[in-house]
Amino acid sequence: MTEQQHYDVVATYAHSELRRYSRCTVADITLTGSAERVGNRAFGPLVRYISAKQLAMTAPVLQVEAEAQSQWTVSFVLPGSKALNEYPLPDDANVTLREIPEHLAMAMQWSGRWTYPSVEKHTAQLREDIREQGLVADGPPVWARYDPPWKPWFLRRNEVIIDVRVESPTPSSSI
């Protein structure tokens, strides 16, 4: 069983979930190119890092558009819940480690191929769900792929995740 990024479901809606993600550490690489091709190109350096350092593969593989146009950061969530300084440093200067603090996010899941038009469609729906729930998006969409490429496309788990914040919490709010 592949270890997965830890979260607790706070609330479930028709198309999405509100989740509280635990702190984690990721290995990142940022590359220029199309959304679909960058994921494949990033896989090699990230796998070499976890293999060389004898770290287990985890899920999901995360991808987010970087600040520069046509640049994407692809991340492997590292196993365990260790702090950033407890993981071995990468040998490849293009691979960096980063800690992601605990955060609240909305997530929408679908099955099928991971294509940019599919991601855009689900991102638009998730943004609508965020507005409907009275939440505020607090970051760019993160695209998550849970399955290896050899898994049949119709069984693959994909998600789009957007960090959120509560605009004006009420005293009874448990979020």
Side-chain angles (χ1 to χ4, degrees), residues 7-8 31 34 45 50 59 61 66 83 99 104 116 122 125 137 155 159 164:
Y7 61 83
D8 292 313
L31 298 170
S34 71
I50 65 169
V61 173
E99 192 169 276
L104 194 62
Y116 194 63
H122 289 91
Q125 177 63 59
L155 295 175
E159 293 182 344
V164 296

Side-chain angles (χ1 to χ4, degrees), residues 3-171:
E3 182 179 337
Q4 295 189 6
Q5 184 178 18
H6 183 264
Y7 61 83
D8 292 313
V9 176
V10 175
T12 303
Y13 306 106
H15 305 287
S16 58
E17 291 180 331
L18 181 62
R19 299 174 178 171
R20 182 169 310 283
Y21 282 86
S22 299
R23 176 189 55 79
C24 69
T25 301
V26 296
D28 289 331
I29 188 164
T30 300
L31 298 170
T32 302
S34 71
E36 287 99 346
R37 290 206 169 120
V38 163
N40 290 334
R41 289 182 30 231
F43 199 79
L46 292 172
V47 165
R48 281 191 293 279
Y49 165 68
I50 65 169
S51 297
K53 305 305 180 184
Q54 299 181 358
L55 299 170
M57 182 71 183
T58 63
V61 173
L62 305 171
Q63 183 168 328
V64 64
E65 192 165 14
E67 302 215 3
Q69 190 175 20
S70 297
Q71 281 197 328
W72 302 88
T73 298
V74 180
S75 308
F76 278 12
V77 177
L78 298 181
S81 56
K82 298 185 240 177
L84 176 68
N85 64 354
E86 296 179 87
Y87 288 98
L89 293 175
D91 297 325
D92 183 336
N94 295 313
V95 176
T96 59
L97 302 184
R98 173 174 57 98
E99 192 169 276
I100 300 174
E102 177 182 273
H103 60 282
L104 194 62
M106 287 280 280
M108 177 176 287
Q109 183 176 319
W110 75 95
S111 59
R113 287 191 175 89
W114 190 92
T115 63
Y116 194 63
S118 179
V119 168
E120 286 183 312
K121 178 182 110 178
H122 289 91
T123 298
Q125 177 63 59
L126 184 59
R127 287 189 188 282
E128 182 60 31
D129 286 3
I130 290 168
R131 281 189 291 278
E132 286 176 5
Q133 298 309 317
L135 300 168
V136 177
D138 196 23
V142 176
W143 303 308
R145 291 176 273 191
Y146 282 82
D147 300 302
W150 55 84
K151 188 167 190 175
W153 66 270
F154 55 89
L155 295 175
R156 292 182 192 165
R157 176 182 171 191
N158 306 294
E159 293 182 344
V160 61
I161 304 162
I162 299 177
D163 287 358
V164 296
R165 68 179 191 279
V166 179
E167 189 60 31
S168 54
T170 62

